[in-house]
Amino acid sequence: MAFQDLSFDGVRALIRVDFNVPLTNPAEDGSREVTDNTRIRSAVPTIQHVLDTGGSVVLMSHLGRPKGQDAALSLQHIVPTLEGLLGRDVKFASDCVGDDALEVTQSLAAGEVAVLENLRFHGEEKAGDEFFAGQLAENGDFYINDAFGTAHRAHASTAVIAKFFPEDKAFGFLMEGEVKAMDKVLGEAQKPVAAVIGGAKVSSKLAVLKNLLDRVDKLVIGGGMAYTFVQAQGGQVGDSLVESDMHAEALALLEAAKEKGIEVHLPTDTLCGDGFSPDAAQETHPTDAIPDGWEGMDIGANSRVAFATALGDCQTILWNGPMGVFEFDRFAEGTNHIANAIVKATEGGAYTLVGGGDSVAAVNKAGLAEKVSYVSTGGGAMLEGLEGKTLPGIAAITKD
Ligand code: AMP
């Protein structure tokens, strides 16, 4: 059932959220303030839905990487921000399990909200300890997972806990959105389907590329990883980033794509720099004839047009990884051009998903995040999803 259709009358909903937010350095009294409330803000609709339908809310999250108890990483620091966003008081339990937690969570009245202390103060959380998960489960009647960022981890609060709520478990709005988006691209995608894959290294995207071979009609490869493909085919790539030990894998991938009739686009021209620097001198060279002393930093002007044209008739586009070193403004044009092509495809009715890598930062930097169909919030989780792996946090909800 869709989360919107669930009602929580008289129910204590135990929600795994991602409140792993950046904080200021501790003040003299030890207090810290939230410097970017995006993650807390995005959990509000799920919390509000439980409250609006008559329930109470217990929130659990990790914050940072504590080794045991650590006051600097207490979730107490986020309570004032949450209170501001919800417009109501929020209770705080000084532990996430045991009497300190139960004292707060068992007496919650409808409309009340409580936050449990940082899950990772207990090593059992990351270990996926079943007894600990059972203790956590005592804090609620219904389990909701709305933390996509940790969906690829089989931790106590993200996956193991679900077994204590065989009938009473669901995704919140955020998780539901991510799962739907992934399915629209990897599952019942409208053809033609294109994947635009960029970023620094082939090795980190190999599993994604392999999984996509069974799902896409077009594969557009840019970014630093393109030079390994070009070099493997005998091209001269100058001082560009390459992974020579990946030649065989790269060639095998191109061969498999050919066998499946996939249209593969690699950059034919490259905007090079005379060093890895934001103010490097620039020259454009054919990607397979980059002179020594120059390194590929962005796709060239012809490739930008060719890539955008290839995307023009696609009904589904997945974008993962920038086309160049977009952090340097003078080498961001290729990435921005592709972002705009994806926006144009979206305006023409295509479903477009940006996720799992620095392409999310790139669309945000270009101010285009609102203009694509979906921007994923979970980098590592989305990447593993695109690799075709079953994410424990998702399986825990969808499987009995
Ligand atoms: P990823 O996290 O795998 O998506 O990789 C993103 C990183 O790849 C960004 O920091 C980019 O600067 C980097 N990158 C993209 N193109 C290149 C390139 N041609 N040379 C070096 N690094 C690149």
Side-chain angles (χ1 to χ4, degrees):
M1 199 190 282
F3 187 65
Q4 181 65 46
D5 298 328
L6 292 174
S7 176
F8 291 90
D9 196 14
V11 172
R12 270 179 320 152
L14 176 59
I15 314 180
R16 175 54 158 103
V17 287
D18 181 0
F19 284 175
N20 185 28
V21 293
L23 301 168
T24 54
N25 287 329
E28 244 166 55
D29 63 357
S31 64
R32 304 180 74 182
E33 279 173 33
V34 174
T35 57
D36 178 353
N37 70 7
T38 310
R39 286 182 173 165
I40 303 179
R41 218 170 352 105
S42 26
V44 168
T46 296
I47 299 169
Q48 201 61 52
H49 178 68
V50 173
L51 299 175
D52 289 348
T53 58
S56 56
V57 169
V58 179
L59 299 164
M60 53 180 175
S61 176
H62 73 285
L63 175 61
R65 296 178 172 184
K67 294 182 183 71
Q69 306 280 326
D70 182 350
L73 292 174
S74 169
L75 274 166
Q76 180 123 46
H77 299 302
I78 65 94
V79 169
T81 304
L82 181 62
E83 287 181 324
L85 287 167
L86 290 175
R88 65 179 81 208
D89 288 345
V90 169
K91 298 185 170 182
F92 182 72
S94 58
D95 200 350
C96 59
V97 290
D99 291 344
D100 288 343
L102 295 176
E103 211 170 287
V104 174
T105 59
Q106 289 189 337
S107 60
L108 274 192
E112 289 190 322
V113 179
V115 174
L116 303 179
E117 183 54 288
N118 194 342
L119 292 158
R120 291 198 188 161
F121 284 0
H122 295 264
E124 294 94 328
E125 160 65 358
K126 282 177 83 171
D129 184 89
E130 194 167 329
F131 180 75
F132 177 72
Q135 284 185 298
L136 284 175
E138 288 174 32
N139 290 302
D141 314 312
F142 192 104
Y143 170 66
I144 297 171
N145 190 346
D146 214 17
F148 183 68
T150 49
H152 55 318
R153 310 275 183 226
H155 293 170
S157 71
T158 60
V160 182
I161 190 171
K163 70 176 64 160
F164 298 95
F165 301 92
E167 304 295 329
D168 301 317
K169 56 184 182 176
F171 295 132
F173 288 125
L174 279 178
M175 277 288 270
E176 211 171 54
E178 297 278 352
V179 171
K180 246 189 236 164
M182 230 187 309
D183 189 56
K184 279 201 158 193
V185 170
L186 300 180
E188 309 199 343
Q190 295 255 15
K191 286 175 159 292
V193 183
V196 183
I197 307 293
K201 291 182 166 182
V202 188
S203 51
S204 65
K205 302 283 168 78
L206 195 68
V208 173
L209 288 165
K210 279 185 180 164
N211 185 43
L212 292 175
L213 286 181
D214 288 325
R215 294 175 163 80
V216 302
D217 305 296
K218 302 185 188 191
L219 193 54
V220 176
I221 301 177
M225 68 159 76
Y227 310 114
T228 298
F229 283 92
V230 172
Q231 191 185 52
Q233 291 174 297
Q236 303 295 317
V237 296
D239 296 345
S240 303
L241 187 68
V242 281
E243 290 173 283
S244 311
D245 57 337
M246 296 299 291
H247 280 175
E249 294 275 16
L251 290 175
L253 207 111
L254 293 176
E255 190 56 37
K258 199 169 156 196
E259 269 169 29
K260 289 175 190 286
I262 298 171
E263 205 179 291
V264 177
H265 295 265
L266 280 159
T268 51
D269 61 342
T270 289
L271 181 63
C272 305
D274 64 351
F276 191 84
S277 138
D279 44 19
Q282 293 181 318
E283 276 183 13
T284 297
H285 293 282
T287 312
D288 60 359
I290 300 175
D292 286 344
W294 292 87
E295 63 177 285
M297 299 284 276
D298 193 7
I299 55 174
N302 295 338
S303 304
R304 281 174 217 155
V305 175
F307 285 9
T309 306
L311 297 178
D313 68 340
C314 290
Q315 290 302 307
T316 305
I317 303 174
L318 160 71
W319 184 21
N320 172 297
M323 296 292 98
V325 187
F326 75 100
E327 295 93 334
F328 299 163
D329 286 344
R330 295 174 68 235
F331 295 100
E333 196 153 340
T335 298
N336 290 339
H337 198 90
I338 296 312
N340 278 300
I342 291 174
V343 166
K344 205 164 156 212
T346 318
E347 286 164 357
Y351 184 82
T352 56
L353 164 64
V354 180
D358 268 358
S359 36
V360 172
V363 286
N364 284 330
K365 194 174 172 206
L368 296 173
E370 304 293 319
K371 297 188 171 173
V372 296
S373 307
Y374 196 82
V375 179
S376 172
T377 56
M382 179 52 79
L383 202 63
E384 290 199 19
L386 298 178
E387 288 173 359
K389 288 188 187 155
T390 303
L391 305 186
I394 292 178
I397 300 290
T398 55
K399 302 226 166 71
D400 295 329

